[in-house]
Amino acid sequence: MKDLLDKAVSGRRLTPQEGLRLLESFDLAALGEAADAVTRRWHPEPYRTYNIDRNINYTNVCVGGCLFCAFSRTASDPDAYVVTQEVLFQKIEETLELGGDQILLQGGLHPDLDLAWYENLLRNIKSRFPTLNIHGFSPPEVHHISHKSGLPVLAVLERLRAAGLGSLPGGGAEILVDRVRQRVSPCKVSSDGWLEVCRQWHRLGGRGSATMMFGHVETLAERIEHLERLRQLQDETGGFTAFICWPFQPGNTKLAQLRKVGAFEYLKTLAVSRLYLDNFANLQGGWVTQGMKIGQLALRFGANDMGSLMIEENVVAAAGTRFRTSHEELRQAILEAGFIPRRRDVFYRLLPDPPSMTAYCPPSTADGAVR
């Protein structure tokens, strides 16, 4: 164990077998200490970062059929929606007023929305908010649009980028092992397909994040296989800005019988991810699913970033997990963890600190409106 941790801390690459051995360990303190040493090698500066954005789910209609999702609806459900332009613009204006500089724009795999609809959506947003970054459309959404339009993924990405797409979120990765995907999301893009969307986006010069949702039906070896596939693509393209992992939230899902993963397993997986992903500059902490106290600990277990203030979040909340914070609380949490809080954009460029804001969490209704 000590030899493996020393190897990772010194910057030498772990093998999948070595990564699995660490993930099987219960020595959380040793893993955290090593992960923190790697983080400080990457980020010796005295600050840790966060950003301000809003997760706008433009629709909850989805044909993905994922067993882990409590948010999606069929088109015939009474609470199914596609956000209106009026509501969308209102949400963006509120985000900008609160110091945000981007939106995270994601939705379901809608059976009726075509490529032209997405292009029109992006153009309308950019025409009214030209400085806003649109961090939008996860790889499964892009793959779905490609399939529906009959166009190659590359052509779809080129058109979305021309219409105003700024960066690609890493949602929908879950676990990049097809055995797992066939059990929990059989109608969604394969592991190779998810990676290919990211590959094509990176080749266009685009940047984006990578994620992992763990703690459902995968084995520990499959978590490492997921990390290995991300590491290989990062070696090839260098296009990932950050890695974010979080435990599956089983409430209100078709997998509700599964035991909810706790803080110990989260911190251990985060630490091993930091040790294994030796070509990722940034790892985000997970206060949205774990709460702010564990979010603070994450800054000592491999994370150099607290993620987003998350002005609005609906998907995790639909599974029964509802942690909220204010701008002041988020900054104070970073201070209490021993670091200076600094705001950043999606590309991890530092930004001037915005004026102080009060707690803000508008309730979302089924039609996407803010009341």
Side-chain angles (χ1 to χ4, degrees):
M1 179 77 172
K2 183 179 184 303
D3 289 343
L4 293 184
L5 295 178
D6 289 344
K7 178 180 181 180
V9 169
S10 68
R12 290 175 288 157
R13 175 161 286 189
L14 296 173
T15 67
Q17 294 75 21
E18 291 169 337
L20 177 59
R21 185 176 170 190
L22 293 180
L23 201 53
E24 290 172 338
S25 166
F26 290 92
D27 193 343
L28 187 62
L31 288 169
E33 184 179 18
D36 189 49
V38 172
T39 303
R40 291 174 185 274
R41 174 160 51 79
W42 274 99
H43 299 281
E45 58 271 9
Y47 57 80
R48 292 295 179 255
T49 52
Y50 69 97
N51 78 333
I52 301 174
D53 72 358
R54 183 177 198 148
N55 189 349
I56 301 178
N57 301 111
Y58 59 88
T59 183
N60 63 349
V61 177
C62 186
V63 296
C66 299
L67 301 184
F68 54 78
C69 184
F71 176 73
S72 67
R73 298 292 185 270
T74 65
S76 60
D77 285 336
D79 54 349
Y81 74 87
V82 175
V83 71
T84 66
Q85 183 168 289
E86 178 185 4
V87 169
L88 178 64
F89 285 174
Q90 178 187 353
K91 288 173 179 282
I92 294 173
E93 287 169 353
E94 290 170 345
T95 303
L96 295 174
E97 289 171 1
L98 291 168
D101 67 321
Q102 76 163 20
I103 56 169
L104 172 55
L105 189 64
Q106 294 184 124
L109 310 182
H110 198 292
D112 300 322
L113 303 181
D114 58 15
L115 177 56
W117 185 90
Y118 289 93
E119 290 178 295
N120 186 60
L121 176 69
L122 291 170
R123 290 194 185 102
N124 287 344
I125 295 172
K126 292 299 287 187
S127 65
R128 184 155 178 171
F129 307 100
T131 63
L132 182 80
N133 180 66
I134 303 174
H135 188 53
F137 312 135
S138 64
E141 290 170 89
V142 173
H143 180 269
H144 177 72
I145 298 168
S146 170
H147 178 74
K148 183 171 178 57
S149 66
L151 293 173
V153 164
L154 178 60
V156 169
L157 289 170
E158 287 174 332
R159 288 175 59 168
L160 292 175
R161 189 181 191 192
L165 183 62
S167 52
L168 193 73
E174 284 80 66
I175 296 293
L176 293 172
V177 177
D178 284 340
R179 183 200 73 83
V180 176
R181 301 180 77 79
Q182 287 163 7
R183 286 192 60 186
V184 301
S185 53
C187 300
K188 203 153 67 174
V189 63
S190 67
S191 302
D192 285 346
W194 189 96
L195 291 162
E196 185 61 21
V197 171
C198 295
R199 179 180 288 108
Q200 296 295 342
W201 178 248
H202 297 169
R203 286 177 176 173
L204 288 174
R207 305 293 302 280
S209 57
T211 67
M212 178 171 72
M213 184 187 72
F214 64 92
H216 37 91
V217 304
E218 87 286 352
T219 65
L220 295 183
E222 286 167 335
R223 286 187 208 173
I224 295 298
E225 185 175 346
H226 178 100
L227 297 177
E228 175 64 19
R229 300 208 72 183
L230 292 178
R231 192 171 71 175
Q232 289 176 1
L233 184 56
Q234 184 75 332
D235 278 344
E236 179 185 337
T237 68
F240 289 122
T241 56
F243 172 76
I244 311 105
C245 66
W246 65 88
F248 165 58
Q249 305 298 299
N252 304 320
T253 75
K254 294 180 180 179
L255 297 174
Q257 75 280 5
L258 296 180
R259 179 182 64 86
K260 186 175 180 178
V261 167
F264 183 97
E265 192 69 20
Y266 166 69
L267 292 172
K268 182 178 72 168
T269 301
L270 174 66
V272 173
S273 298
R274 176 64 284 175
L275 298 172
Y276 199 85
L277 295 175
D278 55 14
N279 52 6
F280 276 70
N282 303 293
L283 266 68
Q284 283 188 23
W287 71 265
V288 174
T289 60
Q290 298 298 298
M292 191 55 69
K293 291 301 182 183
I294 303 304
Q296 287 178 305
L297 278 176
L299 294 179
R300 298 292 185 175
F301 277 78
N304 62 286
D305 183 86
M306 281 288 271
S308 171
L309 177 64
M310 201 66 76
I311 296 168
E312 177 182 349
E313 197 288 320
N314 302 302
V315 177
V316 172
T321 302
R322 298 175 180 272
F323 290 112
R324 291 290 184 264
T325 191
S326 69
H327 188 218
E328 289 82 2
E329 288 171 346
L330 185 62
R331 291 177 64 88
Q332 184 62 32
I334 296 174
L335 282 170
E336 290 175 358
F339 300 100
I340 300 168
R342 292 296 306 271
R343 192 166 69 104
R344 57 146 178 102
D345 65 12
V346 72
F347 304 107
Y348 286 79
R349 298 174 300 204
L350 296 180
L351 299 173
D353 288 331
S356 178
M357 67 171 70
T358 56
Y360 180 80
C361 182
S364 295
T365 61
D367 63 358
V370 176
R371 302 292 189 236

